[in-house]
Amino acid sequence: MEVVIVPDAKEGGELIAEAMAALLRRKPDALLGVATGSTPLPIYEALANKVAAGAVDASRARICQLDEYVGLPAGHPESYRSVVLREVVAPLGLGADSFMGPDGAAEDLQAACDAYDRALAEAGGVDLQLLGIGTDGHIGFNEPCSSLASRTRIKTLTQRTREDNARFFDSLDEVPHHVITQGIGTILEARHLVLLATGEGKADAVAQTVEGPVSALVPASALQLHPHATVVVDEAAASELKLADYFRATYAAKPEWQGL
Ligand code: F6R
């Protein structure tokens, strides 16, 4: 696992957007897995800026979703489908046909989950999966004690996650209890995992993810099992890392051509 400590969220966004741009230059139709929430927004902004400036052509990129709320009416502005279309797909100049995600409004939700896992495999697998991290260590919406081998399925959000996400809704009552999420096993199949964490509120979860034992109690610790996982953290989110100086020195000495 590579840990990169950046001064702030904007630089983290720039760094990851450049890694995505480099991937698209090598593989123009790469399948990019995106996360929602506040953390990745600087990445999407930086990548859209690169596209607008002509620094990368994203016209053949494909975008796929990590998770989705269950039970929000179609077109709800906070459904993750709406968020990804608004924050990622449209700013990159892509259409909805470049996008795939699980159907949180399906009548048979488990069939929709299975269909999504199949669709990801049929699309050739995810080339680069962006991840955020919950204050309780979740990735996607794999809450603590999710199986490390799990596939896309329905999960129940913890009260803490519902409270963390209430800022996107008018009240806590409106935050759905149930979600569809790519499983940890599904996420681990992506070729490159890139987790961005910013702010002091994530420091404990980051330290447990990077330096703690691999444990279902901290779902993000499953990144330790992946051969190409990159964790990008700002100074605040890095504040509880024991090996912070080692991570800084390692990255400072890394040849630029290697990228992430
Ligand atoms: C959202 C997702 C979640 C978020 C996490 C952090 O698609 O997968 O794991 O990444 O809840 O959210 P923020 O970035 O809003 O702190």
Side-chain angles (χ1 to χ4, degrees):
M1 177 188 290
E2 179 175 34
V3 180
V4 183
I5 302 174
V6 292
D8 53 36
K10 190 167 172 359
E11 284 211 27
E14 260 304 323
L15 183 71
I16 296 172
E18 186 46 43
M20 296 169 84
L23 170 62
L24 288 171
R25 290 182 200 114
R26 285 195 307 275
K27 183 174 181 184
D29 65 346
L31 182 56
L32 305 173
V34 296
T36 50
S38 309
T39 312
L41 296 177
I43 307 173
Y44 305 142
E45 194 183 338
L47 187 59
N49 287 343
K50 285 179 195 298
V51 169
V56 62
D57 177 5
S59 60
R60 291 174 58 202
R62 297 170 297 151
I63 307 294
C64 66
Q65 200 175 327
L66 185 56
D67 42 17
E68 181 58 283
Y69 289 116
V70 167
L72 291 185
H76 188 289
E78 292 307 325
S79 80
Y80 282 174
R81 181 186 171 84
S82 300
V83 172
V84 172
L85 289 173
R86 184 169 71 233
E87 304 287 357
V88 185
V89 174
L92 292 181
L94 299 169
D97 54 338
S98 308
F99 163 84
M100 57 200 275
D103 182 358
E107 226 167 82
D108 184 341
L109 284 168
Q110 191 50 50
C113 295
D114 296 344
Y116 191 50
D117 266 347
R118 276 197 307 277
L120 290 174
E122 280 161 17
V126 178
D127 289 296
L128 185 153
Q129 177 65 56
L130 293 176
L131 298 167
I133 185 169
T135 53
D136 63 2
H138 69 231
I139 49 173
F141 273 139
N142 294 282
E143 294 285 30
C145 293
S146 290
S147 158
L148 300 185
S150 49
R151 312 300 305 174
T152 300
R153 69 213 182 292
I154 303 152
K155 287 293 289 182
T156 304
L157 293 180
T158 61
Q159 183 64 7
R160 184 169 175 187
T161 299
R162 291 186 64 247
E163 284 168 6
D164 285 347
N165 285 7
R167 67 190 190 281
F168 296 110
F169 294 84
D170 289 336
S171 71
L172 178 59
D173 288 346
E174 285 179 33
V175 184
H177 286 267
H178 295 108
V179 290
I180 288 178
T181 182
Q182 282 190 31
I184 297 175
T186 315
I187 292 170
L188 290 176
E189 283 171 3
R191 293 180 186 88
H192 185 191
L193 299 180
V194 182
L195 186 150
L196 176 63
T198 52
E200 212 184 331
K202 301 292 174 70
D204 176 50
V206 165
Q208 293 197 57
T209 295
V210 173
E211 296 175 341
V214 174
S215 163
L217 195 57
V218 183
S221 66
L223 266 69
Q224 294 180 32
L225 300 171
H226 196 281
H228 190 186
T230 309
V231 174
V232 179
V233 284
D234 69 358
E235 291 288 348
S239 59
E240 290 183 31
L241 289 173
K242 295 191 196 78
L243 293 176
D245 287 343
Y246 170 68
F247 297 138
R248 281 194 192 91
T250 304
Y251 188 67
K254 187 178 181 182
E256 204 172 316
W257 58 263
Q258 275 189 330
L260 286 186

